Structures are given as structure tokens and as C-alpha cells.
Amino acid sequence: MANSQFDLFLHEATYSDHVSDSSLNRDRLYGLYTSWCVINQQPLGSESTFWSAMKHRINPGHNGLRMKGPAAADYILASYPGLV
């Protein structure tokens, strides 16, 4: 069975860190998803579609997720342009 776009996103752009008290909030997780879509030339789903898919995969409140990979770098640079 093929992985959905959302499963691929979670696999390629996030990792679980349930030890830390901090995790990606809703805005950052969706922002990371948009960066992942741009980098991977994937169609961008609406925010409501994204959260509908995520509710079956993660706990939106405290998901224990951290950013990783090229999408994380793109998101951070886009969010904090003063860094470059």
C-alpha cells in the first residue's frame, strides 16, 4: 500500500521526541508542511485538509514532533529572514 502525502511528510520532515516538553505547535507544523510541499513539488493541501489527515496520525495538542531535513531548514529560513 502506498504511503499518503501526509505519511511521507511526517516521515521525511519530522521525528518523535517524547522526552522533551516542547513540540511543534499547529502553526509550525502546517508551516513545515508547506515548506515540505514546495521542496518536494507536491500539491499543497488546504489547512483544513491537512488537519483532517493529521487527526488520524498525531495528537495536535502535544504531538512530540520535531523538525528535520531540508523542509526544516527552508521553514526556519523563511520564518526568520534575519538569520541569513
Side-chain angles (χ1 to χ4, degrees):
M1 181 170 139
N3 287 333
S4 76
Q5 176 193 46
F6 303 107
D7 293 325
L8 288 172
F9 158 70
L10 289 171
H11 176 74
E12 293 178 2
T14 68
Y15 69 95
S16 294
D17 180 5
H18 294 288
V19 176
S20 174
D21 286 336
S22 65
S23 61
L24 293 173
N25 66 24
R26 291 178 64 91
D27 289 338
R28 289 184 176 156
L29 190 59
Y30 185 72
L32 180 63
Y33 167 70
T34 61
S35 288
W36 180 86
C37 287
V38 169
I39 288 171
N40 292 287
Q41 299 178 346
Q42 294 287 321
L44 177 62
S46 69
E47 192 167 357
S48 62
T49 300
F50 176 78
W51 286 113
S52 290
M54 287 298 116
K55 74 179 179 184
H56 300 292
R57 291 168 173 82
I58 64 166
N59 174 353
H62 181 71
N63 53 47
L65 295 178
R66 305 283 227 163
M67 296 181 200
K68 72 174 186 180
D74 181 74
Y75 173 77
I76 291 167
L77 291 174
S79 298
Y80 305 99
L83 292 176
V84 290

